[in-house]
Amino acid sequence: MSEVIKLPEPDRKGTMSLEQAIISRRSKRQFLGVPLSLEQIGQLLWAAQGKQQGGKFRNIPSAGATYPLEIFAVSKNGLFHYLPEKHAIEELSKEDVRDKIGFAAWGQKFVTDAPLTIVIAAEFSRTTGRYGERGIRYVHVEAGHAAQNIHLQAESLGLGSVSVGAFDDGAISEVLSLPENIEPVDMVTVGHCRDAHSSREQ
C-alpha cells in the first residue's frame, strides 16, 4: 500500500502582493541543487489544485466544476500524486526519475536539474462527458490556470519556475505509469535559482 504524506497547512496570506508577483515573474531555468522543503512543495501543489476554505471549490476555475486535472510531483525523493481532498501526497515511487523526465522532455537539461517538476495531467472525459468536444478546450484552459498559479506561487516563495511544453507525451505517461485515460498536458519546473539576472528569461 502506498504511503500518504500529509502536507503542512498552506499559507493563505503570504508576504508578496499579487501585483508584485505578476510584475517580477520570469521564466528561469538555471536551478541550484537545493531541494525544496515539504512546506514549499505543499504550497505549490495547493496553488495548482488545492481546495479553498469551505471545501467546495478549488483554487482554479473549472468548467462545470468537473476538475479533470491530476497533479504529480517529481523530486529526488520520488514520484508523488497530489490529493486535493486531503492536502496530501501519495507516494507512487521512491525512485528518482528526474533523468527519465528530462529525457522525455527532449533532453532539456534544466528539467533533469530541477529540484521539482510538477506534471499537470488530465482525464479529459470528466469534462468532455458534459461538454462534448468543446470540453477539450476547457481542459487545456484549466491546465493554463493551474500552471499560472504555480508560477505566481513560486515567485512569491522566492523560487524560479518555467513551463515545459516540449515533451514526448507517451514517454512522460510511461515514466509516471499513467493509466490510459489520463494524459500529460503541461509541466512546470521549480527551484532555487543561481542568479535571476543571468538566467534565460522571457
Side-chain angles (χ1 to χ4, degrees), residues 58-125:
R58 299 188 189 175
N59 288 332
I60 61 169
S62 177
T66 51
Y67 299 119
L69 302 186
E70 296 292 337
I71 308 296
F72 298 86
V74 177
S75 74
K76 72 172 186 177
N77 295 320
L79 169 63
F80 304 88
H81 177 219
Y82 181 57
L83 307 174
E85 299 292 338
K86 299 179 180 180
H87 186 55
I89 48 176
E90 176 187 14
E91 182 185 81
L92 302 180
S93 171
K94 292 183 182 296
E95 180 186 359
D96 183 352
V97 296
R98 290 179 298 166
D99 282 345
K100 294 179 180 178
I101 291 289
F103 182 78
W106 310 122
Q108 296 178 87
K109 189 175 184 301
F110 72 88
V111 178
T112 300
D113 292 342
L116 178 69
T117 295
I118 298 174
V119 181
I120 302 171
E123 184 175 347
F124 283 82
S125 61

Side-chain angles (χ1 to χ4, degrees), residues 42-50 59-60 82 145-146 149-150 153:
Q43 193 73 30
L44 290 160
L45 297 177
W46 172 81
Q49 194 70 186
N59 288 332
I60 61 169
Y82 181 57
H145 294 321
N149 270 19
I150 294 168
Q153 183 68 81

Side-chain angles (χ1 to χ4, degrees), residues 72 79 92-93 170-180 182:
F72 298 86
L79 169 63
L92 302 180
S93 171
I172 293 293
S173 295
E174 184 175 349
V175 173
L176 271 57
S177 298
L178 296 180
E180 290 185 2
I182 297 180

